[in-house]
Amino acid sequence: MTIPEGLQRILATANDVVVLTGAGISAESGIPTFRGEDGLWSKLKPEELASFDAFLSNPELVSEWYQHRRHITRESKPNAAHTALVEMEKYFRRFTVVTQNVDNLHRRAGSKNIAELHGNIERNYCLGCRKRYDGADFDANGSFRCSKCGGLIRPDIVWFGEMLPADQWDVAETAAATADVMFVVGTSAVVYPAAELPVTVRRSGGKIVEVNIEETPLTGFADFSLQGSASNVLSEIIDKIKELRGVAKDTE
Ligand code: OAD
Ligand code: ZN
């Protein structure tokens, strides 16, 4: 892949960079995406698994489904795309990863400035007393009922019909409003309000670079559309950044 001249100029001069990621960035780590032929939502009904009503009417089923997804993500590792973003963070004055993923892989890879728009399946809390069951604590509890009050323990993620965490959304919106460039990586760009963020970037004069294996509703709107897997494309981008910008911030 040749990186277009115009994009090279942006990579060389941008100060403020945002990356919006979706399930596609974790696909190469072995985590299934949601839409498309092999996507989770082609076989399962979101309203039966990913809503508060579903949880209340069948807590065992919903809890077991999330525990299954937790096992998949724990057995997987961040891939070259996640790692490239960790590297990129070192080259720009401001660098924010805004993710729709709940899989914790950006954190595990080592990205520092992350807004998690849809929560994180490694965090859980009791609906009754708000006691937290994070990471291994949830497994150690041995049940999806709270050991303190017997209440239901839910994952700290955003289900259909729920509001996004206000603090994370604020970080994302502020970053989008000031970004020189936003990379939109591995997302079908159809779930709102996350899908609004590229519009905010453009309205404030920033550029949009899409990275995806196929076209999405955003492709026509993007300034640059790089077709390929997230790991290949982002590896090339970070190599080009190194070539153009030289030494990273923290090694200067
Ligand atoms: P989708 O499953 O809708 O989209 C995944 C995107 O990744 C598609 O556009 C694929 O073409 C692309 N893709 C797949 N493999 C790729 C690869 N190796 N490299 C680059 N791109 C690749 O997932 P999201 O857009 O993340 O909501 O879905 C958004 C939200 O819908 C999710 O956060 C989830 C879901 O319901 C909640 O959990 C609240
Ligand atoms: Zn409790």
Side-chain angles (χ1 to χ4, degrees):
M1 188 191 72
T2 7
I3 299 177
E5 198 65 31
L7 178 53
Q8 292 198 32
R9 255 195 315 278
I10 292 169
L11 297 180
T13 57
N15 289 317
D16 196 324
V17 177
V18 180
V19 185
L20 173 65
T21 67
I25 196 169
S26 298
E28 291 166 89
S29 293
I31 299 173
T33 60
F34 294 95
R35 293 172 188 78
E37 257 173 57
D38 300 325
L40 293 171
W41 297 153
S42 72
K43 291 164 237 134
L44 302 165
K45 293 203 177 81
E47 62 277 16
E48 284 173 13
L49 289 165
S51 74
F52 190 60
D53 285 351
F55 180 62
L56 289 186
S57 56
N58 202 342
E60 286 93 351
L61 175 80
V62 173
S63 300
E64 271 164 21
W65 190 61
Y66 282 100
Q67 189 62 348
H68 168 68
R69 285 182 56 195
R70 236 173 250 122
H71 283 143
I72 294 174
T73 56
R74 283 177 188 172
E75 277 161 22
S76 69
K77 288 201 244 3
N79 65 58
H82 297 100
T83 312
L85 296 186
V86 179
E87 284 289 295
M88 277 168 76
E89 191 161 15
K90 299 174 185 163
Y91 284 85
F92 300 95
R93 201 179 297 157
R94 222 167 132 207
F95 190 87
T96 313
V97 175
V98 177
T99 189
Q100 299 167 85
N101 300 341
V102 298
D103 60 27
N104 206 32
L105 288 185
H106 288 302
R107 230 171 263 289
R108 281 174 57 199
S111 281
K112 293 193 190 82
N113 196 20
I114 311 170
E116 291 175 324
L117 294 184
H118 293 165
N120 185 319
I121 49 168
E122 289 296 340
R123 294 195 305 259
N124 303 273
Y125 63 92
C126 166
L127 286 179
C129 70
R130 301 273 146 175
K131 179 173 158 58
R132 301 208 64 94
Y133 291 87
D134 293 342
D137 293 348
F138 182 75
D139 299 340
N141 189 54
S143 157
F144 57 89
R145 289 272 176 190
C146 176
S147 57
K148 198 167 140 210
C149 78
L152 288 171
I153 302 169
R154 67 162 284 174
D156 193 356
I157 60 168
V158 177
W159 278 325
F160 285 98
E162 293 185 323
M163 302 282 286
L164 269 58
D167 56 342
Q168 303 298 293
W169 178 249
D170 281 353
V171 170
E173 249 199 331
T174 308
T178 58
D180 297 317
V181 57
M182 171 182 265
F183 291 86
V184 183
V185 184
T187 173
S188 56
V190 293
V191 174
Y192 284 85
E196 260 166 41
L197 292 169
V199 180
T200 304
V201 172
R202 276 290 286 275
R203 206 184 294 129
S204 324
K207 303 285 188 198
I208 304 294
V209 182
E210 180 175 57
V211 179
N212 203 301
I213 48 171
E214 57 189 32
E215 292 200 353
T216 73
L218 189 78
T219 307
F221 180 78
D223 297 279
F224 301 94
S225 182
L226 308 176
Q227 245 188 42
S229 75
S231 65
N232 282 340
V233 176
L234 291 183
S235 300
E236 289 198 37
I237 298 268
I238 181 63
D239 286 350
K240 186 54 80 178
I241 289 170
K242 286 179 177 167
E243 183 190 316
L244 294 166
R245 300 180 78 113
V247 188
K249 235 175 24 186
D250 63 352
T251 53
E252 267 167 11

